[in-house]
Amino acid sequence: MASDIAVSLRAWPTAKTEDQSLSFLIARINGQKGSFRSVSEQSLEEDIRAAEAGEVQDSDNEQSLEEKPEVAKSRKDEVLVGRNEILKHIGQAQNDSGQALDFISILLSRHIPKQAEATISPYLKQQLPIGTLGVEITQLPPKSESRQIDDELISTGWKLQSLNATADSLLTSATRLGAEMEQEAKHWDEVLSIQKKGWSICRLPRERHNLGVRYGFAEAATEYRDRGLAALRRNEDGSVFLDLGLHAPASRRLRVTVKRRRQVIASSVVGMATGNDDQSVESSIRRARDAIYDEELYHEMYREARSLTNRGVQCMTEGITIPLEAEKTLTVDLAEQSAEEYAPSDGAGPYDSDHQLAKAFSLACKLLLSHAHRQNYNLRTRQPPPLTERKPPRAVYSILRPLLALLQQQSALDDHSKFLQSVCATLASANLIMPVASPKGVLGILGMLHVEKSTNEPLMETLAAATCAPLQAQSKITLPSVLSFLVISIRTYIQGTEYKIVINAPPDTFLSQLPQETSFTSAAEMEDYVLHLLTLDLVSVVSAENQRWQIMSLHEGQLSTDTSPDGSHEALSISVEKCRLLVSCCGANKDGDIARSSVSWSPEAENNLAFRDVVRTMGAEEIF
């Protein structure tokens, strides 16, 4: 019977040739040629010439079919299998409906044989005679009075049992609903408390029915910004716990250690509370935020350190090493929260200078990363540049460069202050007064920014911007002549430190004949020039206060007297060094005898003589 079923196969619909609208033509051109950018007059002329030459475009399709005969064969087998399944189901349905029709017909053949005989199948007519099956309506026997009472009691019992079960179910549901309401209220109270504390609550991208908290930073790198989202799950008691997922940040923190001869002498994590004992949701969020922030910070510092190898910075497996002084280095790495902390030795504590340096370096790194995030935000909110085919690379943050410049500036200021103190002590031993306004340290320079900062910017932004800019410090030296003074400017760049000396002297002095501004790139050259200026100033003081001394060689610090009538002659030499002031006198009498004497002052030597008294009394009478 299945072979007699007619199956109609409709052909594929053909495109309407009369559809020539503009949208249809544009879609057709895009389908054939791609974008309008690839369609030109030259390409259309080539297509026309190819059509005139008899090239057929369908050859490619035929070739592709010939190249893949197995694809066409598998498609044909799939069509045949599907056709057989359809015919099988059609035959089964026809058989079931025929059997149902035969049953009803043979049942009705006892009462209406003529009508029922017309719908009975020929096979059933041969096997069963008409009227074989029949149906009758029977009446149930009457129930007794005792049976009715029993049925009523049974019915009442079932009703009471159902009502009791329903009441128990309602009470159980009410209890469960009350507990669920308490759990739900507790859950939403904790979620609202998290939101009130400033955390951003949002829906999860792939779980729209669940809420999450964004603890990351929107301006961070892509790999760290996407990981800064965690789900807020509900415990059985209704409390909230933080689900960080598979890409949870490791519980590590940035650690800065100071080492001398590879031995740790200071650490930035000494005395810092880890907060692992607090298991609240807010503490978990804060720990996750700190961990991902420190991880991004270390990653950016490692990227920047690769370009600072010329400054002595080393990138190794155990961390980033920065040279500080002789045999002293600073190491930056990521340490586990449960890692064993450095225990300070006797006499050293968390307020030691090395510990303060480590903590200040760690804090400055975090502030500079926050400043870099703010710069990313400002760049993102500006008008975007024109589109280009090549995506611009992600810039390297300036974190280590400003800090290296700060360390270099602080080292230069310390050396300069020691130099000025030594010179002042040397001159003070000779009763010469040289007032000095010492330069402020790096922290003192940055500490003045709260007075000079703009009211529109936060203090931290002003501090970070000033840290990234070249730092400059000045010292003022009043020379012993009291008429002239020097202004020394110390300016540090990432390439090095620059020293500039400005001379302020009256027009009629010797110092006014020198260049007013002089720049140096090394501290030694600057110190030699300052000592030379001090020598020139002392020579001018001696020549001005003692009429018998005449300047013989100014830049060499030499003075002389005129030849006396008895033929004697004297020469005076003044030399100013860092820790020594030397005055030498050389004299010759009329017989040609030469004698020398000298007086020196230093901070360590005990000398009660004054410079002016020595110069005034020193001469040939004392020598011979």
Side-chain angles (χ1 to χ4, degrees):
M1 295 178 64
S3 61
D4 297 338
I5 299 174
V7 179
S8 63
L9 299 177
R10 186 171 58 184
W12 292 98
T14 58
K16 296 181 180 180
T17 56
E18 66 274 10
D19 193 355
Q20 300 294 332
S21 62
L22 180 61
S23 59
F24 175 77
L25 294 177
I26 292 175
R28 184 175 178 182
I29 293 173
N30 289 332
Q32 292 180 354
K33 300 294 184 180
S35 175
F36 277 94
R37 296 181 180 179
S38 59
V39 179
S40 61
E41 184 179 356
Q42 183 179 0
S43 63
L44 294 176
E45 290 178 355
E46 292 178 357
D47 293 343
I48 293 173
R49 287 194 295 270
E52 292 177 355
E55 296 181 0
V56 183
Q57 298 180 355
D58 294 340
S59 60
D60 296 339
N61 299 332
E62 294 176 1
Q63 184 177 2
S64 62
L65 292 176
E66 292 176 358
E67 291 176 354
K68 299 180 179 179
E70 64 277 1
V71 177
K73 184 177 180 181
S74 61
R75 180 61 179 170
K76 183 178 179 181
D77 295 340
E78 291 178 1
V79 172
L80 292 177
V81 171
R83 177 179 177 275
N84 293 332
E85 290 182 357
I86 293 173
L87 294 177
K88 178 180 178 181
H89 290 306
I90 292 174
Q92 184 177 358
Q94 186 178 8
N95 184 28
D96 294 341
S97 61
Q99 291 181 358
L101 180 61
D102 289 342
F103 177 76
I104 298 299
S105 299
I106 198 66
L107 185 62
L108 296 176
S109 63
R110 185 173 182 179
H111 303 282
I112 46 175
K114 292 184 179 181
Q115 291 84 345
E117 186 179 0
T119 57
I120 298 176
S121 62
Y123 177 79
L124 189 59
K125 289 180 181 180
Q126 296 176 4
Q127 299 297 328
L128 291 176
I130 296 174
T132 302
L133 296 179
V135 60
E136 292 182 357
I137 300 175
T138 59
Q139 195 168 7
L140 296 175
K143 294 182 179 180
S144 62
E145 184 177 357
S146 60
R147 181 65 180 273
Q148 292 180 358
I149 294 173
D150 293 339
D151 292 343
E152 290 178 0
L153 291 176
I154 293 173
S155 177
T156 303
W158 278 108
K159 290 180 180 180
L160 291 175
Q161 186 177 359
S162 300
L163 290 175
N164 292 332
T166 304
D168 295 338
S169 177
L170 289 175
L171 292 176
T172 304
S173 300
T175 304
R176 182 178 57 83
L177 183 59
E180 186 69 22
M181 289 176 61
E182 293 178 358
Q183 296 173 4
E184 195 73 14
K186 181 180 179 181
H187 171 76
W188 286 109
D189 287 342
E190 293 188 5
V191 171
L192 289 176
S193 65
I194 294 173
Q195 186 180 18
K196 289 179 181 179
K197 292 178 181 178
W199 299 103
S200 176
I201 305 297
C202 61
R203 292 182 181 270
L204 297 178
R206 298 183 180 179
E207 301 178 21
R208 303 298 296 176
H209 58 284
N210 287 333
L211 294 178
V213 57
R214 188 172 296 280
Y215 61 86
F217 299 87
E219 305 304 330
T222 306
E223 57 269 23
Y224 296 100
R225 183 183 67 245
D226 297 341
R227 291 169 52 192
L229 181 64
L232 294 176
R233 309 290 185 184
R234 198 183 80 168
N235 288 319
E236 295 182 357
D237 59 348
S239 60
V240 177
F241 72 95
L242 191 67
D243 185 8
L244 297 174
L246 298 177
H247 302 286
S251 58
R252 296 186 295 179
R253 54 182 172 177
L254 189 74
R255 181 177 60 183
V256 180
T257 55
V258 180
K259 297 181 180 180
R260 180 182 285 116
R261 299 186 186 94
R262 298 184 180 181
Q263 296 294 328
V264 177
I265 61 175
S267 176
S268 62
V269 297
V270 172
M272 293 177 60
T274 58
N276 292 332
D277 297 336
D278 190 359
Q279 300 298 329
S280 63
V281 181
E282 186 183 1
S283 300
S284 301
I285 298 173
R286 189 180 297 109
R287 286 195 296 269
R289 180 202 60 185
D290 296 343
I292 197 171
Y293 189 81
D294 288 352
E295 187 176 346
E296 181 190 5
L297 175 59
Y298 183 75
H299 173 72
E300 297 296 339
M301 292 175 66
Y302 206 92
R303 289 182 61 206
E304 185 183 10
R306 295 175 182 174
S307 61
L308 297 176
T309 53
N310 58 341
R311 299 295 305 277
V313 180
Q314 298 180 1
C315 301
M316 296 179 290
T317 307
E318 57 270 15
I320 304 171
T321 303
I322 301 172
L324 293 179
E325 300 174 359
E327 299 181 349
K328 183 186 286 189
T329 58
L330 188 144
T331 304
V332 182
D333 62 348
L334 283 178
E336 298 290 339
Q337 293 282 358
S338 58
E340 182 178 357
E341 294 187 358
Y342 160 74
S345 58
D346 296 338
Y351 299 103
D352 185 62
S353 59
D354 292 330
H355 287 284
Q356 293 297 321
L357 173 62
K359 291 182 179 180
F361 193 90
S362 175
L363 180 60
C365 291
K366 296 178 181 180
L367 288 178
L368 289 176
L369 179 59
S370 177
H371 178 64
H373 287 173
R374 178 59 65 115
Q375 287 182 333
N376 291 342
Y377 172 76
N378 295 334
L379 183 63
R380 183 168 57 87
T381 53
R382 295 175 186 171
Q383 184 177 0
L387 296 177
T388 57
E389 295 181 357
R390 183 177 298 177
K391 185 179 180 180
R394 188 164 64 89
V396 178
Y397 296 156
S398 295
I399 299 176
L400 289 177
R401 288 182 177 87
L403 297 181
L404 290 178
L406 282 174
L407 294 175
Q408 185 176 353
Q409 174 80 351
Q410 186 63 43
S411 178
L413 293 180
D414 293 341
D415 295 341
H416 184 63
S417 298
K418 293 178 181 178
F419 166 73
L420 294 180
Q421 292 175 3
S422 178
V423 174
C424 289
T426 302
L427 296 179
S429 64
N431 288 339
L432 293 174
I433 300 175
M434 188 181 71
V436 174
S438 300
K440 296 181 180 180
V442 173
L443 297 179
I445 297 173
L446 298 179
M448 294 298 295
L449 293 176
H450 72 279
V451 179
E452 303 175 358
K453 81 179 189 71
S454 174
T455 56
N456 296 329
E457 291 186 359
L459 177 60
M460 289 297 101
E461 292 298 322
T462 306
L463 181 62
T467 305
C468 296
L471 291 178
Q472 181 175 353
Q474 289 184 350
S475 63
K476 183 178 178 181
I477 302 175
T478 303
L479 298 179
S481 63
V482 190
L483 300 175
S484 306
F485 62 90
L486 308 178
V487 177
I488 304 176
S489 300
I490 304 175
R491 193 177 181 88
T492 301
Y493 304 89
I494 188 63
Q495 296 83 5
T497 304
E498 179 185 6
Y499 302 88
K500 184 172 69 173
I501 299 177
V502 179
I503 302 174
N504 290 274
D508 56 346
T509 58
F510 297 108
L511 295 180
S512 63
Q513 302 175 4
L514 299 177
Q516 297 300 310
E517 293 186 4
T518 308
S519 299
F520 303 94
T521 57
S522 66
E525 295 177 355
M526 180 271 298
E527 293 175 359
D528 292 340
Y529 189 67
V530 171
L531 295 175
H532 179 66
L533 294 178
L534 284 174
T535 302
L536 298 182
D537 187 73
L538 291 179
V539 169
S540 63
V541 169
V542 172
S543 64
E545 295 180 355
N546 299 273
Q547 299 297 330
R548 67 190 186 93
W549 293 111
Q550 304 295 328
I551 298 176
M552 182 175 63
S553 178
L554 177 64
H555 292 282
E556 294 181 1
Q558 296 179 359
L559 299 94
S560 64
T561 60
D562 297 334
T563 304
S564 60
D566 57 357
S568 62
H569 179 76
E570 297 138 9
L572 187 69
S573 176
I574 300 175
S575 175
V576 181
E577 300 177 2
K578 183 177 180 180
C579 297
R580 182 187 178 192
L581 173 60
L582 177 64
V583 177
S584 302
C585 183
C586 178
N589 57 12
K590 60 181 179 179
D591 298 331
D593 297 331
I594 299 175
R596 295 181 175 86
S597 69
S598 62
V599 178
S600 63
W601 293 268
S602 63
E604 295 82 6
E606 295 182 359
N607 192 346
N608 297 324
L609 300 177
F611 173 80
R612 286 182 170 85
D613 296 339
V614 170
V615 172
R616 185 172 58 255
T617 59
M618 182 174 287
E621 296 180 356
E622 293 186 357
I623 297 176
F624 297 101

